[in-house]
Amino acid sequence: MPSLHERQKFLVAYLSNPEMFMNVGGELDGPLVGLDKHCLKLVGTSALRKRKRKIKSALPKTYQLLGDDTDVLFSQFTVKYAQTETSRYNNAEQFFNFLSSVWNSSPPDLSFLPDVLIFEIAIARAHEKATHQIYVSEVRPEPTHTHAQYRRRSGLQTLQCKYDIRPLFTKDIKDVIPVLRDNFLAIFYDDVGEKHQVFEVPQQAHDFLQQPESLAVNTEDDAVLVSEMLELGIIEHQG
């Protein structure tokens, strides 16, 4: 007899895979013996709609730009990625991993779409870290450089994009053709997780922010970057 935990785990996997719960023929076996397949189909279909809404709410522009490919890709996604958690963020991360894998072998027709996806998942990650920090005291690593005086803002996300896709988020997409231009972005949420900030930074600042743990100021150029990023709230003084 499977334990209650094992049965729950199997049931979640079953209900997150339409290839399983849409097939109402035959009998259920294993941990699902005794359950009604027709009821499970109804529950699974409802759960699938909720999962789609969560992903769409986290990655709205990506979802919109997928266009006619959305339903096919989502069906493939649900077969390959069983839902492991119910959170909006976790499902968005799974969809991000799925699309990234698909596009590695078959790039999308819209060449700027991977940048849109990376941009939106960065915002989702920043929000997750900001809201998590509200309830859980963040443990900061000890400085690795005795002369380091600065650290990245909590939850800061940095990324490099091939296209300048930000206008897609402020204008109607029909009116925007993203410009092919390397740009480096810093993204973070305010301290209560309500509003995100996006700043374009020079490549030198992006590279500076890739230092592990504490940020060491070693040159005059570093000092200039630090001054500018402190003013924007991208970095902060060590506690």
Side-chain angles (χ1 to χ4, degrees), residues 143-192:
T144 55
H145 306 283
T146 56
H147 57 290
Q149 301 175 0
Y150 309 98
R151 63 189 180 194
R152 289 175 295 277
R153 183 189 184 95
S154 178
L156 178 72
Q157 304 294 307
T158 59
L159 59 151
Q160 176 180 358
C161 294
K162 295 179 180 178
Y163 289 84
D164 184 4
I165 46 83
R166 286 171 294 165
L168 287 168
F169 293 84
T170 59
K171 302 177 182 178
D172 191 309
I173 61 172
K174 298 190 294 294
D175 300 328
V176 177
I177 300 178
V179 176
L180 181 61
R181 176 178 70 83
D182 279 340
N183 56 113
F184 302 86
L185 304 176
I187 301 172
F188 60 87
Y189 265 79
D190 59 28
D191 293 334
V192 293

Side-chain angles (χ1 to χ4, degrees), residues 194-210:
E194 291 183 351
K195 183 178 180 181
H196 70 270
Q197 300 283 341
V198 180
F199 293 105
E200 182 171 359
V201 298
Q203 182 175 354
Q204 298 94 319
H206 176 271
D207 295 344
F208 179 79
L209 291 167
Q210 305 315 303

Side-chain angles (χ1 to χ4, degrees), residues 48 52 55 63 70-78 95:
L48 207 61
K52 183 182 289 188
I55 294 171
Y63 222 86
T70 303
D71 290 340
V72 172
L73 286 170
F74 186 76
S75 295
Q76 295 171 350
F77 161 71
T78 54
F95 198 57

Side-chain angles (χ1 to χ4, degrees), residues 25-212:
E27 296 296 327
L28 293 169
D29 55 14
L32 301 183
V33 168
L35 298 180
D36 188 310
K37 292 199 71 172
H38 293 280
C39 288
L40 289 179
K41 180 181 177 180
L42 291 175
V43 174
T45 302
S46 176
L48 207 61
R49 286 197 295 265
K50 290 180 181 178
R51 191 180 189 192
K52 183 182 289 188
R53 286 198 297 269
K54 290 174 183 176
I55 294 171
K56 188 176 180 179
S57 68
L59 308 171
K61 196 64 64 174
T62 300
Y63 222 86
Q64 182 181 4
L65 291 167
L66 285 173
D68 295 338
D69 294 334
T70 303
D71 290 340
V72 172
L73 286 170
F74 186 76
S75 295
Q76 295 171 350
F77 161 71
T78 54
V79 171
K80 291 186 177 182
Y81 285 79
Q83 183 169 259
T84 56
E85 294 182 25
T86 58
S87 74
R88 168 179 173 270
Y89 169 71
N90 180 266
N91 280 280
E93 279 283 5
Q94 286 187 308
F95 198 57
F96 167 79
N97 292 333
F98 167 74
L99 288 180
S100 298
S101 176
V102 170
W103 290 342
N104 279 338
S105 56
S106 181
D109 293 335
L110 297 176
S111 55
F112 58 83
L113 191 48
D115 279 350
V116 174
L117 175 64
I118 292 171
F119 182 77
E120 290 196 307
I121 198 64
I123 293 175
R125 289 168 179 166
H127 182 263
E128 176 71 7
K129 290 182 178 296
T131 52
H132 182 71
Q133 183 185 344
I134 295 172
Y135 301 104
V136 180
S137 298
E138 184 178 25
V139 178
R140 289 283 193 159
E142 293 296 323
T144 55
H145 306 283
T146 56
H147 57 290
Q149 301 175 0
Y150 309 98
R151 63 189 180 194
R152 289 175 295 277
R153 183 189 184 95
S154 178
L156 178 72
Q157 304 294 307
T158 59
L159 59 151
Q160 176 180 358
C161 294
K162 295 179 180 178
Y163 289 84
D164 184 4
I165 46 83
R166 286 171 294 165
L168 287 168
F169 293 84
T170 59
K171 302 177 182 178
D172 191 309
I173 61 172
K174 298 190 294 294
D175 300 328
V176 177
I177 300 178
V179 176
L180 181 61
R181 176 178 70 83
D182 279 340
N183 56 113
F184 302 86
L185 304 176
I187 301 172
F188 60 87
Y189 265 79
D190 59 28
D191 293 334
V192 293
E194 291 183 351
K195 183 178 180 181
H196 70 270
Q197 300 283 341
V198 180
F199 293 105
E200 182 171 359
V201 298
Q203 182 175 354
Q204 298 94 319
H206 176 271
D207 295 344
F208 179 79
L209 291 167
Q210 305 315 303
Q211 295 181 64

